[in-house]
Amino acid sequence: MSSSGGRKLAHVALLPSAGMGHLTPFLRLAALLVSRNVQVTFITPHPTVSLTESRALSTFFASFPQIKQKQFHLLQAEKNSFDPFFNHIELIKSSGHLLPPLLSALTPSLSVFITDMTLASAVIPITQAISLPTYVLFTSSAKMMTLFLSYPSLAGSRALDDLEETGVIKIRNLELMPKSLVPPPLLQKSDNFLKKSFVEESGKVIESSGILVNTFVSFEFESLGKINDGEVLERPPSVVAIGPLPPYDSEKSRSQLAWLDDKPAGSVLYVSFGSRTALARDQIRELGVGLITSGSRFVWVVKNNIVDKEDGQELEEVIGHELMERVKEKGLIVKSWVQQEYILSHPAVGGFLSHCGWNSVMEAAWNGVRILAWPQNGDQKVNADVVERIGLGTWVRSWGWSGEKLVSGAEIAERIRECMGDESLRIQTLGIKEDARKAVGFGGSSDKGLTELISKWNQF
Ligand code: UDP
Ligand code: G50
């Protein structure tokens, strides 16, 4: 704790999990806390999974010299899972015992610790032992949180076995969501990383001092209400919606795309499946056909391997020379990492064909860009359902999970045309942008939530 003009200021340490989808909201939260005069130490697990993460960290620390970086050197470990990000989460967790000396060396001493929901079971026992209040930043939707918080009791009951008949996930007679939205690994009988993670992490998250979630009240009123009214858990930790976490200034300037500059307002569709989802080659080809036949302008970020993109196959090999030439007529193909915030905030961009990773959803809301949802796996159908219900976009449910079927170029084209031409969706989306800005603006719901937390932390 330190003082400034006699006023105590909180010192908060943040520990993010693996992958850009977890790192980005932590960086944004750090920037937001600094703007509220909170002292921030940012703990960076080292090494990172991707080059993109280490680059984002360098740019971030260069623009925020007042944030202290503390490297957390991870142990070497075996790779147990096919997913490099899941492996890395395990690695961070198994290095947890190296945290106490790192934390005790920090000055002034910490008032609060904030970590990711995927790390709770490793971190919370450690911070509890030194009586350090610990909050969890939940980087997915509040709707996903309803499932996450109830999963241990669902898994320990007959609720999941009974699904063949009911098709609806219920907790104490409360309908949470249809089975069809649930990340498939959570419904499997056999053990897998996600099931284990949901049971272990959820069980610890409920012992935290509170949960921060990157969403806003008007966007997810129902799910936040279910949690805070004690319908999901009898005594939930306090859940505070603090989103959309605003992008920080240097995010936008990191890279630019001059191609967009002379395109008419709202005419470009941005196509991306996030930082860790690669479509199958035949689906990439159909998507290329769909984009061309839609007649829309587009920026297409093609990803054909799961970690960094630069070292992948040549794109032309994947989609073929002829298609490649035709795609160039109307669109721009990018194979490297793009600065998504720069693209979504560009006036030329009107639509987003998205996998509905939660950060992408919040960024679309923040910028008033409508989504054509194409969830692929994990929490993405739950998120797409939120998008569709609130009117931020449309979702063709029959497209299924990744690899379930090959969606044809003709169908993709038709849905793109519908979405890009939908005037009422455009207007609705602008309303959501206004709501998003209001939530984090002075006196808005997210602003109030965070202000109350910080004033509490200043007294710790
Ligand atoms: N992102 C980006 N450029 C890319 C791909 C992704 O800036 O080429 C960012 C995107 O803006 C978001 C994050 O990386 O902040 C991805 O998180 P999200 O939750 O959308 O999906 P995930 O990658 O975790 O599946
Ligand atoms: C990644 C993934 C599958 C998946 C999810 C991913 C989520 C997010 C929520 O992020 O559901 C989540 C909460 C707690 C946890 C893991 C993930 O331990 O590939 O379903």
Side-chain angles (χ1 to χ4, degrees):
M1 197 95 46
S2 72
S3 61
S4 144
R7 200 161 49 95
K8 282 183 174 177
L9 292 181
H11 179 198
V12 177
L14 278 77
L15 173 65
S17 188
M20 282 304 280
H22 295 270
L23 180 58
T24 301
F26 270 79
L27 294 175
R28 290 178 181 163
L29 176 59
L32 184 60
L33 291 175
V34 159
S35 77
R36 305 289 195 92
N37 295 320
V38 172
Q39 261 194 84
V40 176
T41 295
F42 200 95
I43 303 173
T44 52
H46 184 83
T48 56
V49 183
S50 61
L51 200 56
T52 315
E53 291 163 83
S54 58
R55 286 186 183 146
L57 287 166
S58 311
T59 317
F60 180 79
F61 289 114
S63 18
F64 291 94
Q66 67 276 53
I67 296 182
K68 213 187 288 169
Q69 177 182 16
K70 198 80 195 159
Q71 280 209 349
F72 175 26
H73 293 276
L74 304 177
L75 299 170
Q76 293 301 320
E78 285 171 52
K79 294 186 161 61
N80 300 318
S81 159
F82 289 115
D83 185 313
F85 296 93
F86 288 171
N87 272 323
H88 216 69
I89 290 172
E90 282 302 331
L91 183 56
I92 300 173
K93 286 174 62 180
S94 62
S95 305
H97 62 284
L98 303 173
L99 271 178
L102 190 152
L103 299 184
S104 61
L106 296 177
T107 50
S109 60
L110 290 173
S111 343
V112 164
F113 198 84
I114 305 178
T115 193
D116 188 278
M117 74 274 193
T118 61
L119 305 177
S121 68
V123 170
I124 290 179
I126 289 170
T127 50
Q128 270 169 348
I130 53 170
S131 304
L132 178 61
T134 300
Y135 289 76
V136 168
L137 174 61
F138 195 86
T139 61
S140 185
S141 51
K143 181 157 187 147
M144 197 60 207
M145 201 199 297
T146 63
L147 181 61
F148 174 71
L149 292 176
S150 52
Y151 193 75
S153 59
L154 286 169
S157 71
R158 287 192 46 82
L160 296 179
D161 299 331
D162 291 344
L163 274 177
E164 293 314 328
E165 285 157 43
T166 57
V168 177
I169 302 275
K170 278 192 190 168
I171 172 96
R172 288 188 270 122
N173 276 336
L174 171 78
E175 289 198 2
L176 278 186
M177 61 185 71
K179 176 186 169 187
S180 59
L181 298 181
V182 175
L186 295 181
L187 298 172
Q188 277 169 17
K189 296 260 179 273
S190 55
D191 281 344
N192 59 64
F193 175 88
L194 205 64
K195 264 173 80 170
K196 189 166 155 276
S197 176
F198 265 58
V199 172
E200 282 179 9
E201 307 312 330
S202 184
K204 272 297 166 196
V205 165
I206 59 174
E207 293 179 20
S208 69
S209 305
I211 308 176
L212 317 181
V213 53
N214 184 18
T215 190
F216 55 110
V217 173
S218 63
F219 201 72
E220 289 202 85
F221 189 77
E222 208 188 319
S223 297
L224 289 165
K226 274 184 191 168
I227 300 169
N228 282 329
D229 297 345
E231 291 182 53
V232 175
L233 284 180
E234 269 171 47
R235 272 188 301 279
S238 82
V239 172
V240 185
I242 57 165
L245 287 164
Y248 46 91
D249 286 345
S250 55
E251 272 188 76
K252 271 204 223 172
S253 54
R254 240 186 283 160
S255 66
Q256 303 200 339
L257 221 51
W259 183 88
L260 286 171
D261 293 344
D262 61 353
K263 305 296 178 290
S267 71
V268 176
L269 175 74
Y270 167 59
V271 183
S272 169
F273 294 87
S275 66
R276 45 172 299 177
T277 302
L279 297 185
R281 290 178 68 148
D282 52 357
Q283 190 61 80
I284 293 179
R285 239 175 272 125
E286 288 303 313
L287 176 54
V289 170
L291 288 168
I292 296 165
T293 22
S294 76
S296 178
R297 294 185 187 82
F298 58 88
V299 173
W300 179 18
V301 183
V302 184
K303 189 167 171 55
N304 52 35
N305 57 342
I306 289 173
V307 184
D308 294 306
K309 301 165 194 177
E310 289 84 0
D311 53 357
Q313 273 172 308
E314 279 313 305
L315 178 62
E316 196 158 320
E317 258 179 66
V318 178
I319 72 171
H321 180 72
E322 196 197 329
L323 189 56
M324 186 85 171
E325 287 307 305
R326 288 182 57 206
V327 160
K328 284 184 196 158
E329 288 163 22
K330 268 276 187 158
L332 184 69
I333 296 187
V334 193
K335 246 204 82 190
S336 60
W337 179 264
V338 295
Q339 204 48 56
Q340 182 161 300
E341 175 55 27
Y342 174 82
I343 296 180
L344 289 176
S345 63
H346 197 290
V349 175
F352 182 7
L353 175 53
S354 171
H355 72 314
C356 292
W358 190 249
N359 294 289
S360 293
V361 171
M362 278 298 107
E363 289 158 12
W366 179 251
N367 289 297
V369 174
R370 58 194 173 280
I371 288 180
L372 174 53
W374 192 356
Q376 302 289 319
N377 44 51
D379 52 351
Q380 296 154 18
K381 279 195 182 180
V382 173
N383 301 343
D385 185 71
V386 175
V387 164
E388 190 188 52
R389 281 166 188 269
I390 201 75
L392 181 62
T394 55
W395 172 23
V396 191
R397 286 170 194 251
S398 63
W399 288 2
W401 293 108
S402 168
E404 255 182 352
K405 60 184 275 198
L406 182 65
V407 182
S408 75
E411 169 145 24
I412 296 169
E414 171 140 5
R415 299 306 185 164
I416 292 174
R417 275 195 295 265
E418 270 172 24
C419 180
M420 292 302 278
D422 190 335
E423 182 60 13
S424 63
L425 191 56
R426 187 183 74 81
I427 292 166
Q428 234 163 256
T429 307
L430 290 178
I432 292 172
K433 172 180 175 177
E434 259 178 49
D435 294 343
R437 308 272 167 152
K438 259 191 219 151
V440 298
F442 185 72
S445 55
S446 296
D447 173 65
K448 274 204 223 152
L450 188 64
T451 303
E452 280 165 20
L453 278 170
I454 293 173
S455 49
K456 194 194 273 180
W457 298 346
N458 283 338
Q459 289 156 23
F460 282 167

